[in-house]
Structure formats: C-alpha cells, structure tokens
C-alpha cells in the first residue's frame, strides 16, 4: 500500500496531457500507444476477421502526436520509451523517425541491449513498403502513393509522407537500435520498442504549459486537519499537509495521503485527475468528518508515521477469524483506546501486512480484510485456498459411480 503514495491517475487523451514546466517534467515516460495489435494475432484469434492492412496507417498520425507529447514531458537526461504490440513499420520505425526529426536533435535512440540483458529481438527496419487496398501492389514512396491515389477509384487511405522510409535518415538516426520482438524468436507475441534519451528539453513552437489548476483533489484545510487529528487521536507530527480530499463536505468522506512530489505536481495537472495517492481515512457516519477510521487500502503508508500504540500485532489464525466475523475484544491482545487502529500480521512471502480495524460496538472488534489478504493468510498457515464441500464431493462420486455402473 505504501507504494501508492506516489501515484496519480488521470483521464486525459494522451495527445493532450498537460505540458509541465521544466522543474516538474518526468524522468521516465512510457508511450505504450494505441496500435493495430497485429503482433497479437498469434493469440487473439478474434482479431483475424477484423484486421486489415490500413489499420496501422489510420493510427499513424495519432501515434506521432502521442510520442511527441511524451517527449515534451521528459526532462533533460530522462528516457522516453515508445512501444506497440504491432510489427507494422508504419506504426513503429516511421513514427519514431518522424518524432526524432521534429525534435531536432533533442533526443537520440539508445541501444537497449544493456538495459534488457538476454532479450532476443531483431533490429529496427530501414526499408519497407505499403500494400494497396487490393493487396496487389506495393508502394515504396510518397510519389508512388500519389500516382496510385490519382489512378485508383478508391485508394482506401490518405497517404502521408511520414509513412514511407527515408533510408539515409533512418540510418543516421540509428533506427537499428529499436527492437522488434518477433514471435518465432522466443515463443512470444509480436512487439516493438524504442528507447530514447533526452539530450535537451523539447517543446513544440506552439506548445504552452497548462494554466488550469486541478480542482479534483486539494489539500485538506487547517480546520479539517484538526478534525482528522481529533477523530483518530493522531499526533501533531503526522504530516497532514500531505493529506488530500475531493470535497471537505462529502456525504461519505475519503481522505488520501500522497508524497511531497505528488502534492507539488498535482495543481499543474489540470482538472482530469481521477485518483491520487493512497486512501488512508474514511468516514463511518455520513456527513461527519469527526467520525473517521483508518482505511485498509493505504494504511500501510502511515505506519512509519504512527506511534507504536496504534499498531497491534496478531497472528494469521486470528486474522483469518477476523475476516469471517467480529471478535470479542477479550480474545485479542491488549488494544489501544482509540476507536480505530491497525492490526499487523506477518505473512509468508510478503512479510508484514497491515489491516484497518475498529470497535464495531462495545467489546467487539471488526476488521476489513481483503480477499488477497485472506489468501495470503491461508497460505501462511497451510490451509487450502478453496475449501472442498465434502457432501458435494460425495454426491459427485455417487453420480460418477452410477454412470460407471450403467
């Protein structure tokens, strides 16, 4: 859960992601773009009747726009990765080459061999052609495409010069550093990847940074900070300046915790922020910010910041009981006086797991135990993940026996 404190989820069109000032640009940008998906034809049988030779060309311009936007968001010294699950050079090498050309030396292709040791892949292409709609001819240059479009009743597509190879330029750009993961090389699907290093920050001449501030999430007010501390009995040193909320007067309050980098960049991301950080507190009474409890989704991120009195260690057997029903307080180790607190349980494989707990009623304790935590608990104590119903199994045996007798 602690890892989520650095997370921001947005719902932007990738070609319109807000541009950021230099100090807020990213070290790493992944552009895993929409594509024809022809590299997955080996496993996605439903794609065969839908696939055609023009799908890649129809996406070509959008792919360029996505990659250019990703390059604009990368800081100097950072890395941009462009990838598709297509082996069509119009979606792959042609896109990378055009974006490198527009970036005017701000980026260079990197040889990914040392980054992914053992990867079996073919180098990028520096020559290709486009098939016509009737699959009877190949077009090697834009000039040929123009002639074909003029003489054909229906060319089926609007050709662009950027779709065709410029061999000299491709070789100068070291297009062979891109990688084509071919299915037959190591029994996989088809995949293309290009790794680019940012030598200088790049921005298009008409590009401007976003002036719209994010109103989806905002820092909690001093008044709400006080309510949070009072409701949960939290110490003053808890960094409440890193708590975020959608609406302080929400019917069912949810409060999130994010790291400082997230809090700094959040106002610059505009209005389409969907999720931020880890959900750490939630209300258990409607419209009551003074009735809060810990939330299991993100309570792990608070553990280093909470006094030890808030955390109670229990065994996996007891956690399994809590996942099934409330427990009498007398059956548990000594608990803190607070309404809400945290159980810690050491698990096989993953180590410590933290679960939000509360006093459901006098002398009874409840905890929100997720299904994955239940599964880990069963693995830790050696219980089967799926319990077999003996009576149902016996019925199955009898039915099977009757069939054999007949």
């Amino acid at each position: 859960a602690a890892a989520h404190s650095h997370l921001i989820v947005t719902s932007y069109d990738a070609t319109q992601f807000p541009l950021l000032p230099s100090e807020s640009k990213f070290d790493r940008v992944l552009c895993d773009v929409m594509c024809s998906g022809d590299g997955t034809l080996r496993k996605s049988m439903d794609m065969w009747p839908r696939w055609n030779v023009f799908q890649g060309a129809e996406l070509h311009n959008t792919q360029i726009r996505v990659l250019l936007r990703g390059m604009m968001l990368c800081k100097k010294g950072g890395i941009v990765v462009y990838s598709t699950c297509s082996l069509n050079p119009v979606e792959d090498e042609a896109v990378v080459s055009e974006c490198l050309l527009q970036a005017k030396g701000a980026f260079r292709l990197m040889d990914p061999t040392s980054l992914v040791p053992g990867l079996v892949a073919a180098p990028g292409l520096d020559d290709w052609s486009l098939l016509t709609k009737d699959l009877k001819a190949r077009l090697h240059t834009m000039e040929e495409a123009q002639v074909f479009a003029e003489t054909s009743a229906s060319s089926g597509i609007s050709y662009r010069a950027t779709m065709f190879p410029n061999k000299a330029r491709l070789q100068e750009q070291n297009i062979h550093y891109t990688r084509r993961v071919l299915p037959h090389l190591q029994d996989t699907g088809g995949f293309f990847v290009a790794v680019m290093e940012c030598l200088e920050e790049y921005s298009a001449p008409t590009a401007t940074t976003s002036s719209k501030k994010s109103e989806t999430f905002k820092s909690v007010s001093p008044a709400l900070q006080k309510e949070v501390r009072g409701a949960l009995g939290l110490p003053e040193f808890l960094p409440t300046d890193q708590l975020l909320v959608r609406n302080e007067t929400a019917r069912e309050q949810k409060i999130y915790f994010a790291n400082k980098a997230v809090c700094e960049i959040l106002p610059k991301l505009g209005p389409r922020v969907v999720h931020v950080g880890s959900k750490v507190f939630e209300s258990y009474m409607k419209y009551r910010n003074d009735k809060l409890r810990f939330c299991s989704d993100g309570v792990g991120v608070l553990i280093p910041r909470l006094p030890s009195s808030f955390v109670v260690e229990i065994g996996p057997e007891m956690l399994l009981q809590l996942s099934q029903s409330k427990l009498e307080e007398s059956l548990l180790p000594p608990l803190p006086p607070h309404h809400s607190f945290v159980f810690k349980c050491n698990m096989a494989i993953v180590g410590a797991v933290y679960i939000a707990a509360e006093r459901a009623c006098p002398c009874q304790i409840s905890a929100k135990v997720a299904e994955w935590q239940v599964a880990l608990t069963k693995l830790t104590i050696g219980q089967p993940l799926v319990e077999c119903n003996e009576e149902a199994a016996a019925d199955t045996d009898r039915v099977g026996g009757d069939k054999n007798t007949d």
Side-chain angles (χ1 to χ4, degrees):
H4 298 167
S5 62
H6 69 281
L7 178 69
I8 303 176
V9 180
T10 71
S11 61
Y12 283 104
D13 178 330
T15 65
Q16 299 176 11
F17 193 92
L19 295 175
L20 301 170
S22 296
E23 68 274 10
S24 299
K25 289 189 176 183
F26 301 111
D27 299 297
R28 301 288 186 269
V29 178
L30 170 62
C31 298
D32 187 27
V33 301
M34 64 295 290
C35 67
S36 64
D38 59 37
T40 69
L41 286 171
R42 184 184 185 194
K43 66 175 182 179
S44 304
M45 301 304 293
D46 61 308
M47 287 190 62
W48 283 87
R50 294 185 283 112
W51 182 85
N52 65 69
V53 294
F54 294 139
Q55 286 180 345
E58 289 167 348
L59 291 167
H60 174 77
N61 189 47
T62 301
Q63 291 164 335
I64 289 174
R65 292 172 61 206
V66 171
L67 179 52
L68 285 174
R69 182 58 60 127
M71 294 163 76
M72 293 177 200
L73 291 166
C74 186
K75 64 174 58 174
K76 182 178 179 179
I79 292 175
V80 174
V81 172
Y82 175 82
S83 62
T84 73
C85 51
S86 169
L87 295 174
N88 185 343
V90 173
E91 302 179 71
D92 298 338
E93 289 90 347
V95 171
V96 172
S97 179
E98 176 60 20
C99 291
L100 288 172
L101 180 67
Q102 291 195 33
K104 298 179 179 178
F107 282 81
R108 71 173 183 91
L109 279 169
M110 298 175 62
D111 184 349
T113 305
S114 61
L115 301 176
V116 191
L119 175 66
V120 181
L125 302 177
D126 60 14
D127 194 22
W128 61 85
S129 58
L130 276 66
L131 276 170
T132 57
K133 184 178 181 179
D134 57 10
L135 307 182
K136 293 181 179 180
R138 288 183 175 274
L139 306 175
H140 298 84
T141 65
M142 185 60 192
E143 290 73 21
E144 291 182 11
Q146 288 173 334
V147 171
F148 175 77
E150 291 169 0
T151 58
S152 173
S154 175
S155 63
I157 190 171
S158 177
Y159 294 101
R160 297 167 56 94
T162 54
M163 297 177 183
F164 295 91
N166 181 323
K167 192 165 186 175
R169 186 174 74 209
L170 288 162
Q171 291 177 348
E172 183 182 349
Q173 293 171 335
N174 292 318
I175 203 68
H176 63 280
Y177 281 165
T178 63
R179 287 293 181 267
R180 309 181 127 251
V181 179
L182 306 178
H184 66 279
L185 293 180
Q186 49 191 0
D187 195 23
T188 65
F191 198 71
F192 173 86
V193 63
V195 183
M196 292 171 280
E197 180 186 10
C198 180
L199 305 176
E200 296 291 339
E201 286 190 9
Y202 165 65
S203 61
T206 58
T208 57
T209 56
S210 174
S211 59
K212 295 181 179 179
K213 291 188 176 182
S214 173
E215 297 296 334
T216 312
F217 289 86
K218 53 189 176 183
S219 298
V220 299
S221 66
L224 183 54
Q225 289 180 26
K226 186 176 180 180
E227 282 189 295
V228 170
R229 284 198 177 102
L232 293 155
L234 296 175
E236 288 291 328
F237 62 78
L238 187 76
T240 47
D241 59 329
Q242 291 173 242
L243 295 179
L244 301 166
V245 68
R246 291 177 184 267
N247 179 1
E248 293 201 357
T249 58
R251 181 172 180 266
E252 296 178 350
Q253 190 60 273
K254 296 176 177 64
I255 300 175
Y256 302 80
F257 182 89
N259 66 23
K260 290 184 178 180
V262 166
C263 293
E264 289 172 4
I265 197 174
L266 183 61
K268 304 168 187 175
L269 291 180
R272 304 195 68 173
V273 177
V274 177
H275 180 84
V276 172
S278 299
K279 185 170 66 172
V280 290
F281 307 126
E282 60 186 2
S283 61
Y284 58 90
M285 290 183 67
K286 296 173 183 177
Y287 299 109
R288 293 290 298 271
N289 288 338
D290 60 338
K291 300 295 182 182
L292 297 173
R293 61 189 173 197
F294 290 105
C295 181
S296 290
D297 293 358
V299 71
V301 75
L302 295 178
I303 296 303
R305 302 167 174 86
L306 287 176
S308 58
S309 61
F310 277 82
V311 183
V312 179
E313 188 164 346
I314 60 173
E317 293 84 359
M318 189 165 289
L319 180 60
L320 192 58
Q321 293 181 53
L322 278 166
S323 71
Q324 297 164 352
S325 63
K326 299 173 185 176
L327 283 184
E328 294 295 325
E329 186 169 346
S330 59
L331 300 175
L332 294 160
L335 301 178
H338 321 295
H339 169 80
S340 186
F341 49 92
V342 181
F343 282 131
K344 173 186 176 182
C345 184
N346 290 310
M347 300 281 194
I349 306 173
V350 299
V353 171
Y354 298 95
I355 302 96
E358 63 180 320
R359 287 182 165 82
C361 57
C363 302
Q364 282 197 329
I365 305 299
S366 66
K368 286 192 173 182
V369 186
E371 289 186 11
W372 67 268
Q373 292 170 331
V374 173
L376 279 176
T377 304
K378 289 182 176 181
L379 287 172
T380 300
I381 62 180
Q383 281 196 14
L385 294 180
V386 179
E387 294 184 6
C388 179
N389 187 314
E390 294 182 4
E391 185 176 339
D395 289 342
T396 302
D397 290 341
R398 284 195 294 272
V399 171
D402 292 342
K403 286 183 178 179
N404 291 334
T405 302
D406 292 339

